[in-house]
């Protein structure tokens, strides 16, 4: 990361940068985070290398941004005390089924609302049909989609145990702001919202708060129920599995969307997670520059998930296991800090990397987050090691900014 940060006088605490694997310097791609390359068949009689306490400690030191510190341990497979096992058993037999049924009912209800509002309406298409959405649809249809989306997203959070949300709005002076969110947005219209990325729960919160557009895998558009909802959100789709780069096209769409949102208050806001992956919530990874290329102001938002037993962070745990444990926890907590709109200086407008770095350091300082220079490639290495593969996988590739 660059150290030329002239607009911030008080740098946030930075963690010592862990050594990067040699292959991490190679060109990178955007293959799915939890889908590792198939490993060669082991020789007859050979056993998978075990992780000892010594090398586990070394792994956790190198990849601290992805280490789980809750009672469930790495990958959610830690040894639990008898009392915790009993609580899990009771919750899985009683609480989880109710929550699953309620969540599915909310999802289906919102899908039907989106289906009714988009009936006989053709989606807006960009990039030769690769991008299509209903985000620019106006009139009562759009109002119904947005209003119902925000209410039902909050209902989904409630079903998942987030009964209340602790929100703080920081004023330009750095202190809490008593003015409501609507007043804040009316006077300062950003082009994009930028947020640290901790969990898939982040998306539900932002949907309930401002209903912005997201960046999603292209395959999401074809999923049952969720596909139509993502189009109503105005998601920008990327093909992460493909080695052929469509980065310039996607980057252009995002830049246009950010600029449009800044200039037109009726345009959908873009919501971007510039880290590119999730962490355990204590760290802030390097920012990609996609949110800052439009030279428009951005609204920084910091998410935090306090916990006692199970952390809602989606770091080194499988999706299914994470959802089950999250639904087993009766109460979950989320704290949100909205910083003032960040207006770039002329120097930052001419240097998107500097702009991204300054916003990142501001968010780290205000959110008491530790700066780390590792990224998605190192996360794949950490996951591979936890799964018993001590050789560096060939997935150490990720597109540069």
């Amino acid at each position: 990361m660059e150290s030329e940060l002239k607009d911030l006088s008080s740098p946030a605490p930075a963690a010592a940068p862990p050594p990067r694997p040699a292959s991490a310097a190679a060109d990178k791609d955007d293959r799915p985070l939890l889908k590792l390359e198939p490993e060669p068949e082991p020789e007859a009689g050979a056993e998978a290398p075990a992780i000892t306490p010594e090398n586990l400690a070394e792994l956790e030191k190198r990849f601290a941004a992805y280490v789980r510190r809750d009672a469930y341990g790495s990958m959610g497979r830690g040894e639990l005390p008898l009392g915790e096992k009993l609580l899990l058993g009771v919750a899985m037999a009683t609480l989880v089924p109710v929550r699953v049924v309620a969540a599915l009912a909310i999802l289906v209800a919102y899908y039907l609302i989106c289906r009714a509002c988009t009936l006989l309406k053709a989606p807006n298409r960009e990039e030769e049909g690769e991008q299509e959405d209903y985000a620019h649809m106006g009139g009562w249809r759009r109002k119904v989609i947005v209003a119902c989306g925000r209410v039902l997203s909050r209902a989904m959070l409630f079903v998942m145990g987030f009964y209340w949300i602790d929100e703080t709005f920081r004023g330009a002076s750095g202190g809490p702001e008593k003015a409501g969110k609507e007043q804040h947005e009316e006077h300062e219209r950003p082009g994009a919202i930028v947020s640290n990325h901790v969990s898939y729960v982040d998306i539900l919160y932002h949907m309930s708060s401002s209903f912005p557009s997201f960046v999603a895998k292209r395959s999401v558009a074809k999923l049952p129920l969720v596909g139509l909802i993502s189009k109503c959100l105005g998601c920008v789709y990327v093909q992460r599995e493909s080695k052929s780069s469509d980065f310039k096209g996607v980057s252009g769409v995002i830049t246009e969307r950010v600029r449009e949102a800044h200039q037109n208050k009726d345009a959908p806001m873009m919501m971007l997670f510039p880290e590119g992956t999730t962490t355990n919530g204590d760290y802030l990874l390097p920012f990609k520059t996609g949110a800052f290329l439009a030279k428009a102001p951005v609204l920084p938002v910091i998410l935090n998930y306090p916990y006692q037993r199970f952390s809602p962070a989606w770091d080194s745990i499988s999706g299914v296991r994470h959802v089950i444990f999250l639904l087993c926890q009766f109460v979950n907590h989320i704290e949100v800090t909205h910083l003032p709109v960040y207006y770039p200086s002329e120097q930052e407008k001419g240097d998107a990397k500097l702009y991204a770095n300054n916003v990142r350091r501001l968010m780290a300082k205000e959110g008491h987050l530790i700066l780390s220079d590792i990224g998605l490639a190192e996360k794949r290495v950490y996951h591979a090691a936890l799964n018993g593969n001590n050789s560096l996988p060939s997935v150490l590739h990720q597109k540069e900014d």
Side-chain angles (χ1 to χ4, degrees):
M1 300 299 296
E2 297 179 9
S3 59
E4 185 183 0
L5 303 172
K6 299 181 179 180
D7 294 340
L8 296 174
S9 59
S10 301
R20 286 176 178 258
S23 57
D27 292 336
K28 301 176 179 180
D29 67 23
D30 281 327
R31 280 172 278 182
L33 174 60
L34 297 178
K35 184 184 292 184
L36 300 178
E37 290 293 313
E39 298 299 324
E41 293 292 330
E43 299 179 1
E47 296 182 357
I51 296 182
T52 65
E54 291 76 16
N55 58 31
L56 179 59
E58 177 63 24
L59 280 174
E60 292 182 348
K61 180 179 179 181
R62 293 175 61 191
F63 307 115
Y66 310 123
V67 177
R68 295 190 69 79
R69 303 294 185 185
D70 62 6
Y72 291 76
S74 298
M75 303 182 72
R77 298 177 181 175
E79 184 62 32
L80 299 175
L82 179 60
E84 187 69 23
K85 291 180 180 179
L86 291 175
L87 287 175
L88 280 176
V90 172
M92 291 184 68
T94 58
L95 188 61
V96 173
V98 173
R99 284 181 165 176
V100 169
V101 171
L104 287 175
I106 292 172
L107 181 62
V108 171
Y110 190 50
Y111 168 80
L112 294 176
I113 292 172
C114 291
R115 175 59 67 189
C117 290
T118 57
L119 195 63
L120 304 178
K121 284 286 186 177
N124 175 60
R125 287 187 171 85
E126 301 176 14
E127 294 294 312
E128 300 180 353
E130 295 294 344
Q131 306 288 342
E132 65 175 37
D133 64 79
Y134 294 95
H136 293 77
M137 180 175 59
W140 66 268
R141 296 171 185 260
R142 181 64 185 169
K143 291 180 179 179
V144 170
I145 287 176
V146 172
C148 292
R150 295 181 65 171
V151 170
L152 293 179
S153 296
R154 184 64 188 91
M156 184 74 80
L157 287 171
F158 188 89
V159 167
M160 298 171 70
F162 296 92
Y163 304 123
W164 55 86
I165 297 176
D166 184 6
E167 292 186 287
T168 301
F169 294 86
R170 297 280 176 84
S173 62
E177 189 175 67
K178 304 229 181 224
K181 179 168 49 179
E182 291 77 14
Q183 180 179 348
H184 184 78
E185 291 181 351
E186 180 182 353
H187 294 290
E188 300 178 327
R189 172 73 173 178
I193 303 170
V194 292
S195 172
N196 61 320
H197 202 8
V198 184
S199 173
Y200 50 82
V201 179
D202 304 348
I203 297 174
L204 286 174
Y205 166 74
H206 287 294
M207 285 180 64
S208 69
S209 175
S210 53
F211 204 78
S213 300
F214 296 87
V215 175
K217 288 170 56 177
R218 192 167 297 159
S219 58
V220 170
K222 301 178 181 179
L223 293 176
L225 305 180
V226 177
L228 178 61
I229 294 174
S230 71
K231 292 179 182 179
C232 289
L233 277 165
C235 288
V236 176
Y237 301 111
V238 297
Q239 184 66 26
R240 297 190 69 179
E241 294 87 347
S242 175
K243 290 186 178 181
S244 62
S245 173
D246 62 352
F247 169 74
K248 292 183 179 179
V250 172
S251 176
V253 172
I254 293 175
T255 301
E256 290 176 3
R257 293 277 191 91
V258 172
R259 188 176 293 117
E260 181 185 9
H262 173 49
Q263 298 172 350
N264 180 8
K265 66 178 183 179
D266 295 323
M269 192 83 70
M270 278 299 302
M271 169 68 240
L272 296 165
F273 299 107
E275 294 172 284
T277 189
T278 54
T279 67
N280 58 16
D282 296 328
Y283 291 78
L284 201 61
L285 306 181
F287 279 8
K288 299 182 182 299
T289 57
F292 309 94
L293 293 173
K295 305 177 184 179
V298 297
L299 176 63
V301 178
I302 305 167
L303 303 178
N304 180 40
Y305 295 86
Y307 67 90
Q308 292 183 347
R309 293 163 45 234
F310 177 75
S311 169
W314 191 27
D315 34 41
S316 61
I317 182 173
S318 70
V320 174
R321 184 180 293 267
H322 187 280
V323 170
I324 292 175
F325 287 161
L326 187 69
L327 295 181
C328 283
Q329 194 157 253
F330 183 71
V331 179
N332 291 295
H333 302 277
I334 180 172
E335 296 176 350
V336 185
T337 302
H338 298 258
L339 300 183
V341 174
Y342 189 105
Y343 287 90
S345 65
E346 290 302 319
Q347 184 179 6
E348 290 169 330
K349 289 180 180 179
D351 186 347
K353 192 68 174 179
L354 176 65
Y355 185 9
N357 286 345
N358 283 348
V359 173
R360 175 180 178 243
R361 294 184 70 88
L362 174 66
M363 291 176 63
K365 176 185 176 182
E366 296 296 329
H368 306 291
L369 303 173
I370 303 172
L371 296 176
S372 173
D373 70 345
I374 62 177
L376 180 58
E378 287 81 1
K379 189 172 191 177
R380 288 172 174 149
V381 175
Y382 181 53
H383 285 184
L386 290 178
N387 281 292
N389 175 20
N390 286 346
S391 62
L392 295 182
S394 58
V395 294
L396 285 174
H397 307 291
Q398 177 186 6
K399 288 181 183 176
E400 296 290 351
D401 290 334

